[in-house]
Amino acid sequence: MWQLYQFPLCPFSRKLRLLMGEKNIAYELVREHPWEGRDEFWHLNPAGRTPVLHDAGRGVSLSDSQAICEFLEETVERNPMINGSALQRAEIRRLVALFDENLYADVSGPLLHERMKKRLVLRQPPDSRVLREAMKNAHAHLDYIDWLVDTRQWLAGPTLGLADLACAAQLSVADYLGGIDWKGHEQTRHWYSVMKSRPSFRPLLSEKMEGLPPPPHYALVDA
Amino acid sequence: MWQLYQFPLCPFSRKLRLLMGEKNIAYELVREHPWEGRDEFWHLNPAGRTPVLHDAGRGVSLSDSQAICEFLEETVERNPMINGSALQRAEIRRLVALFDENLYADVSGPLLHERMKKRLVLRQPPDSRVLREAMKNAHAHLDYIDWLVDTRQWLAGPTLGLADLACAAQLSVADYLGGIDWKGHEQTRHWYSVMKSRPSFRPLLSEKMEGLPPPPHYALVDA
């Protein structure tokens, strides 16, 4: 059985959990706070990041969320999430990188630092200037996602794919941390409520980070 | 014919150029400085980053360096660089991400900001504290790469692969900017001189960023 090292608000672990949910791959959760720098965890992943997917029985440890997703796509054929022609697959991967890197760097990463890490680890107040900037950046990203929703059936093309999962993972963390103002983004809001209603998403919505409650609308599918 | 939008010291464009060199894929260079924020370039890639691979004739634009590398691996079979079993491919991709993300964030990214962008664009002196930190970080990364070289034929396993190209790309930019002290890293130095002697690497070594000369040892294969 796979063990997934993660913490509830890690957006990259969420992307992987959504993929494993969509592909019906069984796993158990192992709680890991990468900022604690446990030696055993650095031994599993020298990059010191969640998620890590570990199978002690087979002696296999996989890390880097995208490398793990590609591995699962190659080894578990059902419900492919990097699918279509080579050009369509390139478009899925382009958007996954846009969400994993830019949306994270501009929005969910700063929110995690200011609202989670400062509160639970550093015991400092958040920097309101950084929060305002992240929420402003969120609007620019949502504008682009609105455009994707307007012009395609799913974010990267005609079928649900890893781009949808990566985007929903980052937005769900930002939404949990109160960083998303959905007003004026009806297209993305509708797409996101469809994502939230998927069975793969349900386990994530019911989990909480201790000492850090989400806003009331967070887990509501039609909010 | 592919057009590759890049600038000489972009490490992600270098990774892609090494891959295209190894696979004998023809392309022409288009100079792009992403920090200038040209509208036409943002239209090609909403992430605003190099490299972008464009084929005007086919109306195809690809962006995100890893998405492009995966596309070329899928469409050009010769000289595969993400090869082997699914586990070996996961290891290649794990290391590519380690070099593209961590080595860049810790070493080549700060060097590019302090020594290239501040000099050529911002007209500011470099911050010596940031430079010292980047060079200290470089030693920690080189220690890990030394270990990889000690335990494997190539960085990710028995054959030359994209992990070698990604690592060489980041190190070559850091070395150009005088940020690598090779003393004490004989294993990596030897591996890197083998990489530098490959035909795919030669065009990169002869290119210069105007107003920013590399140190004398930079282009020497046996240095």
Side-chain angles (χ1 to χ4, degrees), chain A residues 57-112:
Chain A
R58 296 163 62 204
V60 170
S61 268
L62 302 172
S63 57
D64 179 66
S65 73
Q66 193 55 22
I68 302 173
C69 288
E70 298 276 358
F71 174 85
L72 295 176
E73 277 291 287
E74 291 182 0
T75 55
V76 181
E77 286 184 18
R78 61 179 173 270
N79 302 335
M81 292 284 139
I82 306 175
N83 47 356
S85 69
L87 275 178
Q88 286 168 329
R89 291 158 65 87
E91 176 65 358
I92 291 170
R93 292 187 177 109
R94 175 185 78 83
L95 287 174
V96 169
L98 186 72
F99 302 134
D100 280 2
E101 294 172 28
N102 298 50
L103 185 53
Y104 177 75
D106 296 341
V107 181
S108 40
L111 285 164
L112 277 167

Side-chain angles (χ1 to χ4, degrees), chain A residues 49 64 74 89 93 101, chain B residues 49 74 89 93 97 101:
Chain A
R49 291 180 184 172
D64 179 66
E74 291 182 0
R89 291 158 65 87
R93 292 187 177 109
E101 294 172 28
Chain B
R49 291 180 183 172
E74 292 182 0
R89 292 158 63 88
R93 292 187 177 110
E101 296 173 26

Side-chain angles (χ1 to χ4, degrees), chain A residues 168-188:
Chain A
Q170 296 291 336
L171 288 184
S172 71
V173 170
D175 194 39
Y176 185 110
L177 295 167
I180 302 287
D181 173 8
W182 293 99
K183 274 196 292 291
H185 301 289
E186 285 311 311
Q187 299 96 320
T188 304

